[in-house]
Amino acid sequence: MKFGYTILYVPDVAASLDFCERAFGLRRRFLHESGTYGELDTGSTTLAFADHALGEANFAGGHVAAHSSPRPLGFEIGLVTDDVAAAHQAALQAGATEMAAPMTKHWGQTVSYVRCPDGLLVELCTPVPG
């Protein structure tokens, strides 16, 4: 088994793809003609977005909408960069909300946290020193 993809249910798939392109420099891989599903080119593991209606169809009891939750959901994605400060600033300029400014952890890794307009929590980080 291998990890294939993460899907975030969002109110506007195209807007989430556009934000990630502007904020993080990721490239759009695919947007379904219906506008209800799209993917970003993020390497070997896909980051995808699906319309809330698809989530409601998949789960009889519904789901928590990340964009309307007052607090971030209990998961994040991590994007690795050599310049966390610049990536953090670019995300803020694109419309992200700062959750934690860039900081250096005691193990030497620099990290920051932003929340995207669709509710996705993103850790921007340097590679883990090894």
Side-chain angles (χ1 to χ4, degrees):
M1 191 170 310
K2 72 175 191 171
F3 184 47
Y5 51 86
T6 295
I7 299 174
L8 179 67
Y9 294 101
V10 298
D12 186 332
V13 173
S16 292
L17 293 171
D18 180 62
F19 173 81
C20 287
E21 289 171 322
R22 290 182 296 108
F24 308 121
L26 299 173
R27 290 184 301 119
R28 184 178 310 207
R29 177 184 299 160
F30 172 78
L31 176 60
H32 188 269
E33 63 188 32
S34 68
T36 61
Y37 178 82
E39 298 177 351
L40 292 167
D41 186 4
T42 57
S44 61
T45 303
T46 300
L47 177 58
F49 299 92
D51 187 86
H52 282 298
L54 289 176
E56 294 299 324
N58 289 335
F59 312 111
H63 65 278
V64 175
H67 76 282
S68 62
S69 174
R71 297 172 61 192
L73 301 182
F75 74 93
E76 67 185 57
I77 65 160
L79 297 177
V80 180
T81 178
D82 291 328
D83 190 344
V84 171
H88 186 87
Q89 190 58 38
L92 296 180
Q93 288 176 345
T97 302
E98 182 176 74
M99 300 303 289
M103 68 190 97
T104 301
K105 298 292 190 174
H106 69 274
W107 56 86
Q109 184 184 33
T110 301
V111 303
S112 76
Y113 296 90
V114 297
R115 190 172 181 196
C116 303
D118 57 24
L120 178 63
L121 181 62
V122 177
E123 175 185 1
L124 301 168
C125 60
T126 55
V128 175

